[in-house]
């Protein structure tokens, strides 16, 4: 099992620290460094900068938002980042959510699965450097009745095939991910509930005549290092409450729905109700300790190693860490503990 690092969103006051974290992860042998985007910093610019400041570690988008770019633009960006980084780019995609898609990008959040399938198909055509011709429900290339003509990508990426990941939560999206992607970007993944994600991913792979062999199962997990497990979990409460309670509307929150499928229906209701009422402290307090512990790495090196073994046994191939802490020293310590725990578990 390999390790990754997730820098999260840029522009939150820790940008210089983020570069230091990426460089330390590079030195320690981490496999990939991911950066995210929502409606602040864009991931492409951040990844270009990180790639320029590192030497070996892959850089990946977690995620490029599908409503933010045309598929051809995403292919251009992927090809450019792969070229600039010397073949170290991984393309992660996701549909975002209805509030961001419609409120920020002005793109209707309808038929997201069909849109994702078509988006990936166009990207793959463009990246193959064939002349781009496509006729679908969302995009027609070239546009009919005008001066447009089939053209092809002029940039030659370092690799013929750039790994493509999809961030998926719901069963149907997971199945699609297994069918058309090279890897899966997961969140709030628990080894004890692995079948919720792996069964539809496996079904999708089978639909395309493949198995999970060679498919990168890559969840992001929070990492809190320390002897006091309760204190470590408490430090992650606000993060969990934000996603379960506030990432989306009351009617459409994928993380809340995931929490329900894991058996925490009552807690999911309470967290969302309090978060949407702006009782953020109450929402954080309502997150069950067991839920945080099951979906995070918390404790000393030995305890973290045991949980890493559980993730490996569940089939995870790249475990991406999101170290808690607001100081650079805390985050660097967590990075090093991650490597020590991986070696202690015999997974390095």
């Amino acid at each position: 099992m390999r390790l990754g690092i997730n820098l999260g969103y840029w522009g939150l006051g820790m940008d210089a620290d983020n570069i230091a974290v990426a460089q330390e992860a590079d030195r320690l042998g981490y496999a990939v460094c991911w950066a995210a985007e929502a409606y602040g910093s864009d991931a492409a610019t951040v990844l270009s900068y990180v790639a320029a400041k590192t030497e070996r570690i892959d850089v990946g988008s977690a995620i490029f938002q599908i409503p933010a770019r045309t598929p051809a633009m995403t292919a251009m960006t992927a090809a450019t980042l792969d070229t600039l980084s010397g073949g170290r780019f991984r393309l992660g995609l996701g549909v975002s959510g209805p509030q961001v898609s419609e409120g920020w990008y002005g793109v209707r959040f309808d038929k997201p699965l069909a849109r994702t399938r078509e988006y990936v198909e166009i990207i793959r055509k463009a990246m193959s450097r064939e002349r781009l011709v496509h006729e679908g429900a969302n995009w027609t290339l070239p546009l009919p009745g005008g001066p447009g003509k089939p053209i092809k990508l002029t940039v030659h990426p370092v690799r013929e095939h750039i790994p493509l990941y999809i961030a998926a939560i719901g069963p149907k999206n997971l199945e699609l991910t297994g069918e058309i992607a090279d890897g899966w970007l997961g969140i709030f993944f628990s080894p004890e509930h692995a079948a919720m994600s792996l069964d539809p991913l496996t079904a999708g792979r089978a639909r395309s005549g493949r198995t999970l062999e060679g498919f990168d199962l890559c969840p992001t997990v929070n990492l809190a290092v320390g002897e006091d497990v309760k204190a470590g979990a408490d430090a992650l409460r606000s993060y969990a409450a934000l996603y379960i309670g506030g990432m989306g509307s009351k009617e459409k929150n994928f993380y809340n729905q995931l929490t329900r499928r894991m058996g925490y229906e009552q807690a999911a209701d309470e967290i969302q109700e309090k978060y949407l009422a702006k009782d953020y402290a109450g929402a954080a307090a309502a997150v069950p300790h067991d839920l945080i512990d099951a979906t995070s790495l918390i404790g000393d090196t030995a305890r973290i190693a045991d949980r890493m073994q559980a993730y490996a046994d569940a089939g995870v191939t790249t475990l991406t860490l999101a170290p808690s802490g607001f100081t650079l020293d805390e985050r660097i310590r967590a990075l090093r503990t991650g490597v020590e725990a991986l070696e202690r578990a015999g997974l390095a």
Side-chain angles (χ1 to χ4, degrees):
M1 187 170 71
R2 300 173 297 274
L3 292 181
I5 176 71
N6 195 321
L7 298 179
Y9 302 114
W10 210 258
L12 300 179
M14 299 187 296
D15 296 349
D17 288 356
N18 278 340
I19 287 296
V21 167
Q23 290 172 328
E24 180 66 7
D26 190 22
R27 188 189 70 80
L28 290 169
Y30 277 65
V32 59
C33 176
W34 303 94
E37 65 182 19
Y39 43 93
S41 58
D42 74 286
T45 307
V46 169
L47 293 172
S48 180
Y49 188 57
V50 171
K53 295 289 186 177
T54 54
E55 297 178 2
R56 294 168 300 276
I57 195 168
D58 282 5
V59 293
S61 55
I63 54 168
F64 282 167
Q65 298 168 103
I66 286 175
R69 302 170 180 84
T70 66
M73 182 69 242
T74 296
M76 291 168 59
T77 302
T80 305
L81 280 167
D82 197 56
T83 302
L84 290 174
S85 66
R88 292 189 283 141
F89 179 63
R90 305 187 191 187
L91 174 59
L93 302 171
V95 294
S96 188
Q99 290 183 320
V100 173
S101 181
E102 299 191 11
W104 188 246
Y105 297 116
V107 176
R108 289 292 179 198
F109 193 81
D110 57 348
K111 300 180 179 178
L113 298 184
R115 182 181 293 271
T116 299
R117 180 185 292 277
E118 194 174 341
Y119 198 88
V120 170
E121 182 180 341
I122 296 171
I123 287 173
R124 288 248 164 91
K125 284 181 181 178
M127 294 295 293
S128 71
R129 302 193 67 251
E130 64 179 85
R131 294 195 178 276
L132 190 52
V133 176
H134 178 85
E135 186 172 345
N138 298 285
W139 293 277
T140 299
L141 302 167
L143 285 174
K149 62 179 183 179
I151 51 181
K152 66 180 181 180
L153 187 69
T154 60
V155 175
H156 292 256
V158 174
R159 294 166 296 169
E160 291 185 5
H161 183 87
I162 293 175
L164 188 150
Y165 296 69
I166 295 176
I169 296 175
K172 292 186 182 299
N173 200 8
L174 284 163
E175 191 168 334
L176 177 68
T177 298
E179 180 186 354
I180 67 174
D182 302 305
W184 168 60
L185 300 176
I187 189 171
F188 293 116
F189 178 81
S190 161
E192 291 73 26
H193 296 87
M196 287 173 43
S197 302
L198 299 193
D199 285 355
L201 285 168
T202 301
R205 299 294 285 175
R207 184 188 295 167
S208 62
R210 296 172 292 178
T211 68
L212 286 177
E213 183 70 27
F215 185 83
D216 195 10
L217 295 170
C218 184
T220 291
V221 298
N222 286 312
L223 172 63
V225 178
E227 299 293 332
D228 190 335
V229 174
K230 182 181 181 301
D234 287 345
L236 303 175
R237 286 186 174 279
S238 295
Y239 172 88
L242 167 63
Y243 278 81
I244 298 169
M247 282 289 194
S249 65
K250 185 173 179 58
E251 296 75 24
K252 186 76 73 172
N253 180 321
F254 305 120
Y255 311 98
N256 190 279
Q257 293 165 6
L258 172 63
T259 303
R260 293 174 184 279
R261 291 196 297 275
M262 294 173 68
Y264 295 95
E265 294 91 345
Q266 183 175 347
D269 281 338
E270 184 179 357
I271 296 164
Q272 187 177 63
E273 180 181 346
K274 289 183 175 180
Y275 200 95
L276 295 180
K278 301 187 184 306
D279 179 9
Y280 304 128
V287 180
H289 172 87
D290 289 348
L291 173 60
I292 300 172
D293 196 22
T295 56
S296 310
L297 297 173
I298 307 171
D300 59 17
T301 304
R303 191 174 193 271
I304 290 169
D306 286 344
R307 288 302 290 167
M308 282 186 171
Q309 183 65 62
Y311 276 93
D313 291 344
V316 171
T317 48
T318 302
L319 189 64
T320 296
L321 308 180
S324 67
F326 295 99
T327 70
L328 178 58
D329 286 346
E330 289 174 324
R331 297 171 74 194
I332 294 295
R333 177 191 173 204
L335 277 180
R336 293 171 180 168
T337 299
V339 172
E340 293 168 3
L342 192 76
E343 292 173 347
R344 181 173 182 136
L347 298 170

